[in-house]
Amino acid sequence: MAGHDHHHHHLSMCFCDLIRLLWSLVLPCVYLSLVLTVLLVLLVLGVRLWLQGRRKARLSQDRSPTVAFFHPYCHAGGGGERVLWCALRALQNRYPNVSFVVYTGDQEVTGEQILEGARQRFNITLPRPVTFIFLRHRALVEASSYAHFTLLGQSMGSMFLGWEALTSFVPDLYVDSMGYAFTLPVFRYLGACKVSSYVHYPTVSTDMLSVVRERNPRFNNADYISGNPVLSAFKVVYYCCFALLYGLAGSCSDIIMVNSTWTLGHILALWRAPSRTSVVYPPCDVRAFLDVPLDEEEDEVGEGWEELGQELGSGEGGGGGDRKCHSIVSVGQFRPEKDHRLQIRAFRNLLDRKGAGPGGWESLRLVLIGGCRNQEDEDRVLMLRGLCQELGVADRVEFKLNVPFEELKRELVDATIGLHTMWNEHFGIGVVECMAAGTIILAHKSGGPKLDIVVPYEGGQTGFLADSEDSYGAAMETILALLPAERLEIRRNARRSVDRFSDQEFEACFLSAMEPLMREMER
């Protein structure tokens, strides 16, 4: 018994010694933390003064203020790039004494080639030249660079890429036009710049959290995670922590523009800056399609397809009876979230429904039009071609990559159905273009298409929505079975409804949102 008491007394003494040791370390740790904090503050102030000195030196030589757009993939052919070029065109026309810079990672092309690409793909020509700053470390924001913790890796990588951009050129006003929110504090606090952002899609959202909580497998939630409750719980915590950091970074923006009602809801919840946030619908080149008269198109295109149908031996009848052949066109970059796999599977579902008779297999084709940003996207196209072979539809599916605007327009004008399958698409420029061109749109029943675009116009139907392979197949079958007059009514409603998404509307709203910062910069 005495031995037991002695052992207990010994443990108590050891525990007290440990407490005293830890307590003796508290004060040095506090001092060390204060010293490191002071050093960090001095370092930030030193960097800030150095960068301000560089800007003052530039202004002493060239007195015109400069606006810089951060767009590492400006040579891509997506809707985000259309926003960039329309925004630049609007600002250049309104502010002739302001210079403009674009930070890009497209080192394989020249500035002239980038501008020519914008002209060919979007029918946009800038009134004045812009300066391109070519960044060498764009791989830092590539998803392929991070096998795990991709969101965090890309976001931290964007800060380093932003630092490269800032040290290459110090602007007066910085605009993040591609959604790299973590660059905003770099330019605001280190570069002492005014900062603005145009948000196409929140990097993290409550919908993403729901997918993980409910353990649903998707392109950004691997099967091995969705099937494991422990990993799913860990990913929820990771997303929550990341959402907090994302909100802090985004709240640095002086002006926040979002592209849809869906994006607005998420950004207000995450960035918590309602007084600085507004919806600016992205520009869609609807006027380029309005020269196609819908009344005549039904007959003229039908005659052309009738000849093709006879060549294919499709016979008479089928569907609504107006066309012997129908093309179904999808417009969108070959990114995983666009879900081209669903499009191909839904097309196979439609072919199974239609069968091999008149108006069936030989009368239908699927055309996938989009841009490839990098090797990862090109590999994805190869995978999609393999899926077509696997499903036996390779002879009815056509891929068209990085096509010029005129070819895009021609395909849309000739199409019967415009197909869109992205879950929670932030907006959907391709959806609007399809509607303006006179196709009947079939979009995903979520996000921007559901809330902003494929909505009734003056009480009339403007398109169709679906959310699964079967519902897409059924909707396409329904569209093809409509009478020409019924399809024409939907197409007319759709075309009238997209005027609010024109280039002119975007430019007016964008300039209105940017005016306070531009006016302050010109003082």
Side-chain angles (χ1 to χ4, degrees), residues 48-63 170-172 191-192:
R48 184 181 172 102
L49 289 173
W50 171 60
L51 292 172
Q52 282 182 315
R54 294 185 60 179
R55 180 168 57 226
K56 289 178 181 178
R58 170 178 60 78
L59 289 173
S60 65
Q61 298 176 354
D62 179 10
R63 295 194 172 276
V170 186
D172 300 282

Side-chain angles (χ1 to χ4, degrees), residues 202 204-208 246 261-272 424:
V204 65
S205 67
T206 54
D207 292 322
M208 292 168 65
Y246 178 65
T261 303
W262 182 87
T263 306
L264 175 67
H266 288 284
I267 290 301
L268 289 179
L270 292 165
W271 292 13
R272 300 181 183 278
N424 271 343

